Amino acid sequence: MKAMRFSWTGLILAPLLVPVIFSATFSILAEGDGDPLLAFLTMLVLGCIVSYGSTILLFLPCLFLLSLDYQMTGFKVCLLGLVLGAVEFVSLALIAWGSRGPDLPIKNFFVFFLLWAAGPVTALFPLAGLITAGLYWWLGKRRTGRSVPVE
């Protein structure tokens, strides 16, 4: 069984889609005193840091290791993205809990996590992982085109 092929197009474009959509939505909904272009660019940079970092450091190594033992289908790749999006949310919640100030008296991580998970942004992380993984899969499959038998 061959490992899944790497796609430069997928690596460059797939992690960019979700931060662009989120930044555009944020700059439209948060129109106020500030410059909407500055809000868009700020959110885009922060979103790209998280998106490209998790794609390069989490998604691609996991995808490669799984493709060594299993035939990766679009469903499996999207499921991996969904799970890694949830893992990303838990890790960011852990970072937020560790960097809390003295004004937040919550000492237990699980209580903090339940309060943080009640927010509306929680569902965006698994959804973003799903979209990124699906787009990476689609761009990678599109690049290879027809399957050629290996001799």
Side-chain angles (χ1 to χ4, degrees):
M1 199 176 305
K2 295 176 73 173
M4 186 175 162
R5 296 170 64 159
F6 178 76
S7 168
W8 279 106
T9 307
L11 177 63
I12 294 169
L13 294 179
L16 187 61
L17 179 66
V18 172
V20 166
I21 292 171
F22 182 76
S23 300
T25 305
F26 179 79
S27 64
I28 290 169
L29 293 177
E31 51 181 89
D33 323 327
D35 182 22
L37 180 62
L38 182 63
F40 174 79
L41 292 176
T42 303
M43 291 306 294
L44 182 65
V45 167
L46 293 174
C48 283
I49 289 171
V50 172
S51 184
Y52 279 98
S54 60
T55 299
I56 293 170
L57 298 176
L58 284 176
F59 176 68
L60 289 179
C62 290
L63 185 63
F64 175 72
L65 290 175
L66 285 173
S67 70
L68 291 176
D69 291 333
Y70 302 104
Q71 178 68 30
M72 296 305 289
T73 62
F75 177 74
K76 289 179 185 177
V77 171
C78 289
L79 186 63
L80 175 65
L82 188 77
V83 168
L84 290 180
V87 167
E88 184 78 24
F89 174 75
V90 172
S91 65
L92 288 176
L94 188 60
I95 291 170
W97 178 72
S99 64
R100 71 194 188 287
D103 57 339
L104 188 63
I106 299 173
K107 302 289 186 209
N108 189 348
F109 170 71
F110 296 108
V111 173
F112 178 81
F113 181 76
L114 289 176
L115 291 174
W116 224 53
V121 180
T122 304
L124 293 180
F125 283 92
L127 182 63
L130 174 74
I131 291 170
T132 303
L135 186 58
Y136 182 85
W137 173 260
W138 182 72
L139 290 170
K141 279 301 196 183
R142 195 170 155 222
R143 182 183 74 93
T144 57
R146 296 186 198 113
S147 61
V148 178
V150 179
E151 296 179 14

